[in-house]
Amino acid sequence: MKDFDVNILLRKAEELKALFILGQRVIPFLEEIFLFVRDIKPLLDEINVSIEENIKKMPNASKQLSKVTEATELATTEIMDIVDGLVYKTDIITNNLNRLEEINSSSKSNPTKIMELLYTTINGNVSLTDILPELTNLIELSKSNSSNEFSDVKLHTAGIIQSINEDSSSIMMSLQVQDITSQQIAAVNHLLEAIQTKLSRILIRFQSQEISDLMSEEKEEKKNTTNVTKLHREISFDPDAIDAITDKATRQDNVDNLVANHIAKEDNVFSSQDDIDALFNNSDITTSINKDEIIESIETKIDIVSDFDSFSQDDIDMLFGK
Amino acid sequence: MKYLVVDDSPTMRRIVINALKSFGIEDIIEAEDGIDGLNKMKDSKPEFIITDWNMPNMNGLEFTKAVRGNPEYASIPILMVTTRGLKQDIIEALQAKVNNYVVKPFTPLVLKEKIGAILKT
């Protein structure tokens, strides 16, 4: 073998040696990368799920906000209709006041006319019997003006004032929408804050913190979640508050079904007065029933008669016995 | 008869108080959450409580439990007025011993009926 060939062989062997040394040094790095990918996978899965869940919630939040707008529009229209009615009613009251003033001046002018007639008659030495028909006419006119029409206008005005009171009350009731919509907006705000917090945490913590810290903080945050959010004041909310307005019509149908079902159920359970008497007279039964059992019985009744979760005022009345 | 109205929404407090006044009820105190309600009860003894459910600090359910848990206040009638209309909510309120339950939005007539029904019993 030539010297030249041996040198090449040695150089190649050196290169191979260097490659093995590099391999030895790279292996720990590769192991670290492998461990990192293995550790981060559940976190990435969790982030993925979290983002997916939040994205799923967004259309619902958007729908809820749309309902808020709808509800406020509806209430505003209701209030504006009432205000239009109030303007019309105040016009009527103004007309009535004018009419009362006319009646008042008319009722004042008739006695004056009578006095003037009497004065002229006596002063001119004319017989009183000559003016009797005119006098009678004036007296009758005075009576009718002052009594009938005055009372009618007064009564009419009182009726309108009463109706204005009712309108004011209706406006107050329509304004309940403010409380309901503010709860709904608070719920959406809460959701947005939660999403913002999660995304910010992912972005910031990824750079500076251990994966295990990030995961434990995530768990911590879930524990502390409450239905209170800070707007101009702290607002505690029902996340489905807006359904109280928007589902009013469907709720009523559900209520009708519930009431009908409940009556049918009651008919089956208490078939006769004797059954009821037996239930209340039997001391064994009454003493053995505790409050939890009563509540459980009510829950069972509701489960039987209702397939829906949301309750209306009539359902509640049924539950409380009034 | 003295009424206590507990609601975190100033609008709702005003609406309820306005309705009560239209029924001829004038002796009314108000509180903005359960804790405020309990504090107000120490000074002025209400004989009827109308409370919301969703409130910060102490909600209506916790407030009801606190009232029922105090022998001095336990017999005061409580009417809950809330947006919550789910079956389990009503059961929970019932278990906390509210006397009746009104869902928002309500009419003055419903409020009057419920107060009347409670006072009758």
Side-chain angles (χ1 to χ4, degrees):
Chain A
M1 191 178 269
K2 291 177 185 174
D3 281 353
F4 176 72
D5 293 337
V6 172
N7 284 339
I8 290 173
L9 204 64
L10 284 172
R11 205 169 64 234
K12 293 288 177 193
E14 281 297 318
E15 280 176 11
L16 264 175
K17 190 183 168 190
L19 188 69
F20 283 125
I21 291 168
L22 181 73
Q24 268 182 329
R25 286 181 184 171
V26 164
I27 282 168
F29 286 115
L30 285 174
E31 274 175 354
E32 263 186 54
I33 290 170
F34 173 76
L35 289 173
F36 176 76
V37 171
R38 196 188 61 186
D39 286 350
I40 206 167
K41 190 186 174 297
L43 179 62
L44 287 173
D45 286 345
E46 198 176 318
I47 290 166
N48 194 28
V49 169
S50 167
I51 290 172
E52 248 178 59
E53 275 174 7
N54 288 325
I55 286 172
K56 274 182 202 162
K57 282 176 191 168
M58 294 306 276
N60 189 41
S62 167
K63 207 187 287 177
Q64 300 289 58
L65 282 181
S66 169
K67 284 181 183 176
V68 166
T69 312
E70 193 186 345
T72 49
E73 275 179 6
L74 200 73
T76 310
T77 309
E78 264 176 30
I79 292 169
M80 285 195 300
D81 287 347
I82 297 170
V83 171
D84 283 347
L86 286 174
V87 171
Y88 173 72
K89 284 169 190 173
T90 53
D91 281 347
I92 296 175
I93 289 177
T94 308
N95 291 338
N96 283 357
L97 284 174
N98 291 337
R99 184 67 201 128
L100 285 175
E101 201 173 323
E102 279 172 22
I103 294 167
N104 186 38
S105 51
S106 163
S107 62
K108 271 182 189 167
S109 72
N110 284 333
T112 311
K113 278 181 191 168
I114 293 168
M115 305 263 256
E116 281 173 354
L117 185 63
L118 285 172
Y119 176 78
T120 319
T121 308
I122 295 164
N123 202 30
N125 265 341
V126 181
S127 166
L128 283 172
T129 42
D130 291 350
I131 59 155
L132 201 59
E134 198 181 349
L135 204 59
T136 313
N137 189 34
L138 279 170
I139 290 168
E140 285 305 314
L141 202 64
S142 177
K143 272 186 188 169
S144 67
N145 272 352
S146 61
S147 59
N148 293 343
E149 198 180 355
F150 187 89
S151 303
D152 287 348
V153 174
K154 194 182 154 196
L155 205 67
H156 184 224
T157 310
I160 291 169
I161 289 170
Q162 173 61 28
S163 135
I164 287 174
N165 277 336
E166 284 162 13
D167 288 345
S168 311
S169 174
S170 299
I171 289 174
M172 287 300 266
M173 290 305 126
S174 297
L175 290 173
Q176 286 180 73
V177 77
Q178 193 276 333
D179 175 56
I180 294 163
T181 54
S182 74
Q183 285 192 48
Q184 201 58 63
I185 290 169
V188 173
N189 183 60
H190 187 71
L191 173 70
L192 290 175
E193 278 177 349
I195 292 171
Q196 190 191 11
T197 311
K198 275 185 184 174
L199 291 179
S200 310
R201 186 168 293 140
I202 288 165
L203 289 173
I204 297 164
R205 303 288 170 134
F206 243 122
Q207 296 163 5
S208 59
Q209 296 235 343
E210 292 291 324
I211 296 163
S212 54
D213 291 349
L214 182 57
M215 293 181 84
S216 64
E217 289 217 17
E218 186 78 12
K219 280 169 193 160
E220 192 71 24
E221 195 231 355
K222 276 178 189 163
K223 265 194 292 186
N224 294 336
T225 304
T226 55
N227 280 354
V228 178
T229 191
K230 178 85 180 163
L231 290 171
H232 63 291
R233 61 177 169 85
E234 272 202 327
I235 297 180
S236 175
F237 58 85
D238 171 4
D240 302 313
I242 201 70
D243 294 342
I245 294 176
T246 51
D247 291 352
K248 226 168 18 180
T250 37
R251 274 181 166 190
Q252 193 51 56
D253 289 341
N254 291 341
V255 172
D256 293 343
N257 290 334
L258 182 73
V259 171
N261 284 336
H262 178 70
I263 291 167
K265 172 74 188 158
E266 288 283 286
D267 287 348
N268 286 336
V269 172
F270 302 116
S271 53
S272 71
Q273 187 58 45
D274 289 345
D275 291 341
I276 299 166
D277 293 344
L279 182 68
F280 285 94
N281 291 334
N282 187 334
S283 60
D284 289 342
I285 292 171
T286 49
T287 49
S288 66
I289 293 175
N290 63 30
K291 283 171 190 167
D292 289 341
E293 283 171 328
I294 292 167
I295 287 163
E296 198 180 315
S297 140
I298 293 167
E299 282 190 61
T300 314
K301 266 188 195 175
I302 291 165
D303 284 337
I304 291 165
V305 297
S306 170
D307 290 333
F308 47 88
D309 283 338
S310 192
F311 268 54
S312 73
Q313 190 56 55
D314 288 349
D315 299 323
I316 295 159
D317 289 350
M318 184 195 81
L319 196 61
F320 282 85
K322 168 61 204 170
Chain B
M1 191 170 201
K2 187 173 278 180
Y3 283 69
L4 170 65
V5 177
V6 190
D7 200 310
D8 62 322
S9 159
T11 312
M12 276 314 300
R13 286 204 301 273
R14 200 164 159 184
I15 288 170
V16 173
I17 290 171
N18 184 278
L20 292 177
K21 284 186 175 171
S22 76
F23 310 150
I25 298 162
E26 292 291 338
D27 199 359
I28 307 162
I29 47 171
E30 50 185 300
E32 59 186 32
D33 57 41
I35 292 173
D36 190 27
L38 290 172
N39 287 334
K40 296 269 168 71
M41 286 175 77
K42 286 176 197 162
D43 305 327
S44 43
K45 312 278 179 204
E47 292 155 285
F48 198 106
I49 297 169
I50 297 174
T51 183
D52 182 24
W53 184 317
N54 295 308
M55 292 182 289
N57 305 320
M58 182 190 270
N59 68 36
L61 198 70
E62 292 162 342
F63 172 64
T64 302
K65 287 174 184 169
V67 171
R68 291 288 179 250
N70 184 334
E72 197 185 342
Y73 308 139
S75 62
I76 301 174
I78 300 178
L79 174 63
M80 187 160 271
V81 180
T82 176
T83 53
R84 300 170 79 118
L86 295 179
K87 181 174 75 180
Q88 59 266 36
D89 291 335
I90 298 155
I91 297 295
E92 217 176 327
L94 187 69
Q95 285 172 333
K97 295 175 188 169
V98 299
N99 293 76
N100 215 320
Y101 198 98
V102 171
V103 279
K104 295 174 187 172
F106 62 88
T107 63
L109 188 68
V110 169
L111 191 68
K112 195 176 182 179
E113 273 177 11
K114 298 293 159 277
I115 292 172
I118 292 173
L119 293 178
K120 210 189 269 182
T121 56

